[in-house]
Amino acid sequence: MKNRILFIIISILAFSLAFTGCSQKQEPAKGSATEVSKQNDENKKGNSEDKLLENDTLVLGLDDSFPPMGFRDEEGKIVGFDIDLAEEVAKRMGVKLELKPIDWSTKSLTLNKGDIDVIWNGFSIDEQRKKEVDFSTPYLNNKQIVVVSNDSKIEDKDGLSGKILAVQSGSTSDTALSKDKKVSGSLKEVKKYSDNVQALMDLKIGRVDAVLVDEVVGRYYVAKKPGDYKILKEDFGTEQYAVGIKKGNTKLTEAINKALEEVRADGTEAEISKKWFGEDIVSK
């Protein structure tokens, strides 16, 4: 009798242990489809928390009246050298490109607020801007030149004395002028504009005597209006164009630099330059 009772107790315990073991969570075997799926889910979660750009979109801030770097064509579409280059860079980064016109005079503030990811539209490197934003590697050389009407008697910088000179507000043309105390101190007036197109239009109708402007913009505009303008031989210094990126965003800076290097190495940047300038003028 005791043996039968003992047998029953042992049987109950064995059944209980077996049931408990089955109910416990089983870990997937190493290398199994379940484990791979679980790992993929974790990776996706990690990637979403460490994404380079929101919605995989590079938001480019620009002055949309800055030919030939970035401007609106006759149909209102934003086109230009910088636009073509940015599209190539975005493609190699595996992201979409969104163009966002901004107030150029508040560009650094707009960038650091997070409204845009980059400033990319004939954006020149200078010491003040280095304090406000980070820069990519330079991709184009530039000068600050003076454009006057074709019948103007102004031949050099000294000839600007007593004249009205136009510059774009917040531009490196504005900065270059302020550094040249001799010229800036001799002017009758410095007239500031939100964009260079309006400044050049006012030059044509005689509201200003000269326009200080980026060489790539000035020469492009002069070529489009043969006989209307001429360029003085003297300039206000050389500079380089680069992409402006929010301070401390090293991942985006590195990604853009890598893409720029690829675009240059395979000749794509040179082809874009020939399209807009008729020759390869990119920084070497």
Side-chain angles (χ1 to χ4, degrees):
M1 184 67 174
K2 289 181 180 180
N3 289 339
R4 180 179 293 180
I5 293 172
L6 182 61
F7 175 76
I8 292 171
I9 292 171
I10 292 172
S11 298
I12 292 171
L13 288 173
F15 178 81
S16 177
L17 288 171
F19 180 82
T20 302
C22 290
S23 66
Q24 289 178 346
K25 184 178 179 180
Q26 298 294 314
E27 290 297 324
K30 188 175 182 180
S32 67
T34 304
E35 184 191 44
V36 171
S37 177
K38 179 182 177 183
Q39 186 62 51
N40 287 341
D41 289 341
E42 290 176 354
N43 289 342
K44 287 177 182 177
K45 181 180 178 181
N47 290 339
S48 65
E49 293 173 351
D50 192 31
K51 292 176 73 172
L52 185 64
L53 294 162
E54 188 69 26
N55 299 321
D56 291 325
T57 301
L58 181 67
V59 182
L60 183 155
L62 78 157
D63 165 13
D64 62 354
S65 56
F66 196 72
M69 309 310 288
F71 64 104
R72 293 187 184 274
D73 64 13
E74 294 177 354
E75 298 177 353
K77 181 182 178 182
I78 299 176
V79 297
F81 174 87
D82 276 341
I83 307 307
D84 286 354
L85 184 58
E87 286 176 347
E88 281 293 331
V89 166
K91 184 191 303 181
R92 291 158 198 259
M93 290 172 59
V95 299
K96 299 184 290 289
L97 180 67
E98 178 184 334
L99 306 177
K100 187 171 184 178
I102 59 172
D103 180 348
W104 195 249
S105 65
T106 60
K107 53 194 171 298
S108 297
L109 177 62
T110 304
L111 174 68
N112 288 313
K113 279 174 59 182
D115 294 339
I116 57 176
D117 297 309
V118 293
I119 303 169
W120 195 339
N121 190 211
F123 191 42
S124 304
I125 302 172
D126 71 13
E127 293 307 312
Q128 179 57 41
R129 288 176 176 175
K130 283 181 180 179
K131 298 175 184 177
E132 300 170 351
V133 306
D134 286 339
F135 282 98
S136 70
T137 52
Y139 62 86
L140 193 68
N141 295 321
N142 182 51
K143 290 180 183 177
Q144 291 299 326
I145 62 171
V146 180
V147 178
V148 297
S149 59
N150 201 43
D151 59 357
S152 175
K153 294 181 180 180
I154 300 172
E155 298 293 337
D156 52 27
K157 291 164 77 171
D158 287 341
L160 294 170
S161 179
K163 301 295 191 294
I164 301 174
L165 180 64
V167 296
Q168 182 181 25
S169 179
S171 67
T172 46
S173 301
D174 197 355
T175 304
L177 177 62
S178 66
K179 290 180 179 179
D180 194 321
K181 303 300 182 184
K182 180 182 177 182
V183 173
S184 61
S186 71
L187 294 169
K188 177 182 179 180
E189 181 185 350
V190 177
K191 198 166 184 178
K192 298 189 179 184
Y193 291 80
S194 61
D195 63 75
N196 287 301
V197 173
Q198 186 60 52
L200 288 160
M201 288 175 63
D202 274 8
L203 173 62
K204 184 176 180 180
I205 62 177
R207 286 180 179 167
V208 299
D209 300 301
V211 178
L212 181 58
V213 64
D214 289 51
E215 181 178 33
V216 292
V217 178
R219 290 195 181 281
Y220 179 84
Y221 205 89
V222 169
K224 292 289 184 182
K225 306 284 183 178
D228 287 352
Y229 307 103
K230 64 182 179 181
I231 298 170
L232 302 190
K233 291 182 179 179
E234 288 185 290
D235 61 63
F236 279 71
T238 60
E239 57 194 28
Q240 292 180 307
Y241 285 159
V243 183
I245 304 157
K246 187 175 181 179
K247 271 286 184 186
N249 193 343
T250 55
K251 285 188 177 181
L252 183 56
T253 303
E254 290 169 358
I256 289 174
N257 283 341
K258 183 176 182 295
L260 281 172
E261 184 180 346
E262 291 175 0
V263 171
R264 174 162 298 172
D266 67 13
T268 303
E269 188 178 20
E271 290 303 313
I272 295 172
S273 178
K274 290 173 185 176
K275 171 184 173 180
W276 290 102
F277 303 113
E279 59 181 313
D280 179 9
I281 66 169
V282 298
S283 299
K284 304 300 183 184

